[in-house]
Amino acid sequence: MIEEARLKYEKEEMERLEIQRIEKEKWNRLEAKDLERRNEELEELYLLERCFPEAEKLKQETRMLSQWKHYIQCDGSPDPSIAQEMNTFISLWKEKTNETFEEVIEKSKVVLNLIEKLKFILLETPPCDLQDKNKIQYQESILQLQELLHLKFNVATEILLRQASTLADLDSGNMEKVIKDENVTLYVWANLKKNPRHRSVRFSETQIGFEIPRILATSDIAVRLLHTHYDHVSALHPVSTPSKEHTSSVTELVKDDVENVEKAISKEVEEESKQQEKQSHLIQEEKLKVEEEQDDIEVKMSSAEEESEAIKCELEMKVLSETVSAAQLLLVENSSEKPDFFENDMVDLFQFTTLGGVYHLDILELPPQCKPVKGWMIVEILKEGLQKYTYPPETTEDFETENAFPPIEVTLEVHENVIFFENPMVVRWDAEGKHWRTDGISNVSYKPNERLITFSLDTFGPVTLIQDAHINMPYQSWELRPLDVNKVLLTVTTVFTEIQIQIKENLCMLSSVKLKDKKHISILEGTWMTPIPFIIALKEAGLNIFPTRYSHFYVVINNKVPLVEVKAYRQMALLSSTFAFGWSKWNLLCNSTKVVFKVREHLPEECTENPNWALLMFSGDRAQRLKIKEESEAFSEALKEETEFHSTLYHMVRDFASKEAMEKVRSSNCQFVNSVCHMLLSTRLLSYS
């Protein structure tokens, strides 16, 4: 019995070893075959990926064209990239005085447009093309415009308050004024009657207002709420740049190649020209032959020049390709150091994001009022301008009761175009420390249906609403599928929402937003924008699915090697016109050097209820089709029967794709492929889901 068991065990062990040997031999054969065709596949991929530098070249041409269009328009607005024009614009506006609030609002549209253009220049220009001095110049221009715009609003408020007595309400005797615009809303109340019983201020036809204490109700003050729908208070985030050693070494290396080739070819042309001239002198008497040889010289020289130009163009594309790759890698690189330490009450703007703009809350000293004298309006203009009323005062010894300066209750309306997935947090600006803080605010209550938030504030100043920037991360699933020729739909599903984005050519559009199975109407829906403005618009609307280089400190993620991610996104973008890609649960279980996702050829007439997905695993330099399915019980890297390794995703899917599909891939629009790639790099689906 023991002998039989021993023999049985030995037989099974031999069979197992034999199976292992056969599998190993098969694996070795596949590896050898993959290695044999590797160079050929990578060369073909290199040709396909020329679409990325070509798209960047088109972007450069578009930027130059927009500068030229601005130049020939002559509409009086400055070119934001030219420091002299910006300085002139700022100086001329500083000199202009006595502008009404409506006039400043109108001018603010030009100013906000200039700020937006400067921010886009900083974000859209490849880091290698953006010199440090230019970066500093653009950021200084942004800050100067922001400060001047707010100063102009203050001066316009003072001019308005000087007329408070002439604008007084007949019933209350106090002045109330509301001025609304697409970017700014002003609410201002002037206390002319100083009635101690009039302590509840509500602006007409709104719930917005204040509950002021007795001491303010009996003082010569005005209360202003200036709601800017943008945030010019938070500090500008520094623009990310790749390591100078990396970009400069790559670029300089290829630039040296260009220069060397140019020198070699020009030298060759020169020597050939000299040699031909010498020969022509020796046979000067044979005029006919000389003429023929001179024709040959011209042909050879022109062909050499053409060859020189072609090589120069090729190497320039190589430089552009390397810089584009460096910029793409920068989008997925994680910072190794967490942002500076923040105190308990300080807001970390790498973790949270401000939404809905800034509410500038101010208690102001009422300026001297206009007085009619013999048909004239006389007003005393204070040299120091608009003054803030200090509440509570720095010394409170003269006041009897302890509660003479209670917190002021404020009710604000949340911006209609912003989505809060949880109750918003209220924070105040610390002008001294230059950061947002959570202290000094109490009794916060939020009514989501009315979009009203009420809170008590110890001291007035700028306040804003914040939300966790990573509330929609990690994602639950995602899918990228073709809709039409050079048009795809990207769907990202999170705990709170499902966001659908359409991409075509160099444009993106928010297709739909679903909140808890209900469709949410967003102002952004149906508006086509280029990728970077589109991403900014989504973030400002509260739909943030775009991690930063610091996000991994705040979200538990399935971190992948940056280079593997970049290669995967580039090749997925190349195939996206014909192939659908989707989230796989197995991506969590493979290590950081590999990614796993679903893929299938998209056929317009097929039923999408039960699509036939293939599971691919990719390590950056090897793609393989997995034997397991999405429904399998355990993860395995085993190769699917009758399939092979490939060095690229393109060649992997070609094994099971139709000829028509591959033809569509090869004829894809370069701007479309680049836009899809940019969106994949920005959402980082393989690491954040």
Side-chain angles (χ1 to χ4, degrees), residues 48-273:
L48 288 168
E49 288 189 335
R50 281 177 65 95
C51 62
F52 296 113
E54 282 169 7
E56 185 56 42
K57 199 171 182 181
L58 285 172
K59 278 187 194 176
Q60 290 177 351
E61 289 170 2
T62 303
R63 284 196 289 268
M64 289 173 69
L65 184 63
S66 66
Q67 283 183 323
W68 172 246
K69 281 182 178 177
H70 181 274
Y71 177 75
I72 60 175
Q73 269 179 345
C74 298
D75 59 356
S77 64
D79 184 337
S81 63
I82 300 173
Q84 189 178 353
E85 289 190 23
M86 288 301 295
N87 292 336
T88 303
F89 174 83
I90 290 167
S91 298
L92 289 173
W93 197 29
K94 275 182 181 176
E95 291 169 5
K96 198 169 183 181
T97 57
N98 297 325
E99 290 174 287
T100 64
F101 211 93
E102 289 81 0
E103 287 172 337
V104 175
I105 283 177
E106 199 58 38
K107 188 76 170 183
S108 73
K109 292 173 184 177
V110 177
V111 174
L112 292 172
N113 186 41
L114 289 171
I115 291 171
E116 193 176 74
K117 283 181 179 179
L118 284 164
K119 286 182 177 178
F120 288 160
I121 290 170
L122 287 168
L123 290 168
E124 290 184 327
T125 309
C128 57
D129 293 343
L130 193 62
Q131 294 181 12
D132 287 343
K133 64 173 185 178
N134 289 339
K135 196 193 306 178
I136 293 166
Q137 172 204 314
Y138 300 152
Q139 289 177 333
E140 284 178 351
S141 294
I142 290 170
L143 290 172
Q144 284 178 335
L145 288 170
Q146 289 176 348
E147 289 169 5
L148 181 57
L149 180 58
H150 193 67
L151 176 67
K152 288 286 184 177
F153 278 132
N154 284 343
V155 173
T157 302
E158 183 187 4
I159 292 169
L160 181 64
L161 287 175
R162 285 187 206 139
Q163 307 166 41
S165 56
T166 61
L167 299 171
D169 180 67
L170 293 174
D171 295 332
S172 66
N174 296 318
M175 187 206 86
E176 179 191 301
K177 184 79 173 176
V178 178
I179 300 173
K180 288 192 175 185
D181 185 69
E182 58 183 310
N183 299 312
V184 180
T185 306
L186 172 74
Y187 302 90
V188 64
W189 175 82
N191 188 18
L192 299 170
K193 285 293 183 182
K194 296 187 280 297
N195 185 347
R197 291 191 298 274
H198 191 93
R199 293 163 63 179
S200 180
V201 179
R202 287 287 177 273
F203 292 95
S204 58
E205 300 179 6
T206 72
Q207 296 290 318
I208 298 165
F210 316 92
E211 296 293 331
I212 60 175
R214 182 183 179 87
I215 190 166
L216 292 180
T218 56
S219 300
D220 282 321
I221 56 106
V223 180
R224 180 184 72 169
L225 163 57
L226 176 63
H227 180 198
T228 59
H229 303 168
Y230 48 82
D231 179 5
H232 285 177
V233 176
S234 304
L236 287 173
H237 282 311
V239 179
S240 299
T241 52
S243 62
K244 289 188 178 179
E245 296 166 8
H246 176 69
T247 48
S248 61
S249 61
V250 166
T251 310
E252 289 303 319
L253 186 66
V254 185
K255 280 183 178 175
D256 286 344
D257 287 347
V258 176
E259 288 172 7
N260 291 338
V261 170
E262 283 180 336
K263 284 176 185 175
I265 291 173
S266 61
K267 192 176 179 181
E268 186 183 321
V269 172
E270 195 179 327
E271 285 176 2
E272 192 172 338
S273 175

Side-chain angles (χ1 to χ4, degrees), residues 405-630:
F405 306 100
I408 300 171
E409 186 182 288
V410 181
T411 301
L412 301 176
E413 189 175 38
V414 177
H415 197 293
E416 61 183 349
N417 297 329
V418 173
I419 299 173
F420 282 95
F421 296 99
E422 292 178 343
N423 287 355
M425 293 169 61
V426 185
V427 294
R428 65 176 183 86
W429 181 249
D430 178 3
E432 192 176 328
K434 302 291 182 187
H435 49 248
W436 295 103
R437 298 186 67 92
T438 56
D439 58 345
I441 298 163
S442 56
N443 304 324
V444 181
S445 66
Y446 179 54
K447 296 177 181 177
N449 294 333
E450 292 90 345
R451 298 184 72 81
L452 292 173
I453 190 160
T454 303
F455 55 92
S456 296
L457 199 60
D458 290 350
T459 57
F460 266 28
V463 300
T464 190
L465 308 179
I466 61 169
Q467 179 172 259
D468 185 348
H470 309 97
I471 197 165
N472 285 311
M473 301 175 206
Y475 322 126
Q476 291 188 320
S477 65
W478 59 270
E479 184 179 297
L480 179 71
R481 64 181 176 87
L483 290 177
D484 204 344
V485 179
N486 293 319
K487 190 175 183 180
V488 297
L489 180 72
L490 173 63
T491 304
V492 179
T493 306
T494 75
V495 172
F496 294 100
T497 183
E498 180 189 274
I499 299 170
Q500 291 192 326
I501 298 166
Q502 286 188 32
I503 307 167
K504 68 172 184 180
E505 297 173 1
N506 65 330
L507 300 170
C508 304
M509 179 193 76
L510 181 63
S511 180
S512 76
V513 180
K514 289 181 184 174
L515 303 175
K516 294 178 182 175
D517 300 325
K518 292 180 182 178
K519 197 174 185 304
H520 173 82
I521 304 300
S522 170
I523 194 171
L524 297 174
E525 286 181 36
T527 305
W528 289 97
M529 291 180 264
T530 53
I532 288 176
F534 175 75
I535 289 168
I536 292 170
L538 278 194
K539 283 183 174 182
E540 289 177 349
L543 299 170
N544 185 17
I545 50 170
F546 308 101
T548 68
R549 59 200 305 259
Y550 298 105
S551 293
H552 63 288
F553 290 116
Y554 309 104
V555 186
V556 178
I557 65 167
N558 178 26
N559 197 31
K560 301 294 180 181
V561 172
L563 194 58
V564 174
E565 262 198 282
V566 170
K567 286 184 176 181
Y569 296 143
R570 282 169 68 101
Q571 294 179 44
M572 286 164 68
L574 281 170
L575 298 163
S576 63
S577 58
T578 312
F579 293 88
F581 295 88
W583 171 84
S584 170
K585 65 183 180 183
W586 303 121
N587 188 47
L588 285 164
L589 297 177
C590 65
N591 63 38
S592 63
T593 62
K594 296 170 184 174
V595 293
V596 177
F597 45 83
K598 298 185 295 187
V599 63
R600 65 185 173 89
E601 183 179 336
H602 183 76
L603 302 170
E605 67 277 2
E606 75 178 350
C607 176
T608 55
E609 287 182 11
N610 298 301
N612 185 23
W613 292 101
L615 274 178
L616 296 191
M617 185 168 75
F618 184 56
S619 65
D621 52 13
R622 173 180 287 178
Q624 66 184 77
R625 188 169 176 179
L626 297 178
K627 186 177 181 179
I628 58 168
K629 294 184 177 180
E630 192 64 20

Side-chain angles (χ1 to χ4, degrees), residues 245-306:
E245 296 166 8
H246 176 69
T247 48
S248 61
S249 61
V250 166
T251 310
E252 289 303 319
L253 186 66
V254 185
K255 280 183 178 175
D256 286 344
D257 287 347
V258 176
E259 288 172 7
N260 291 338
V261 170
E262 283 180 336
K263 284 176 185 175
I265 291 173
S266 61
K267 192 176 179 181
E268 186 183 321
V269 172
E270 195 179 327
E271 285 176 2
E272 192 172 338
S273 175
K274 283 179 181 177
Q275 190 179 352
Q276 295 293 346
E277 281 177 21
K278 191 177 179 181
Q279 288 177 3
S280 66
H281 282 304
L282 292 171
I283 53 171
Q284 197 170 1
E285 64 278 1
E286 299 177 23
K287 291 181 181 179
L288 187 62
K289 201 170 181 181
V290 169
E291 286 174 11
E292 287 175 1
E293 292 203 5
Q294 280 178 342
D295 289 342
D296 288 341
I297 293 166
E298 287 174 9
V299 170
K300 285 180 181 179
M301 284 178 69
S302 63
S303 64
E305 285 170 5
E306 284 174 13

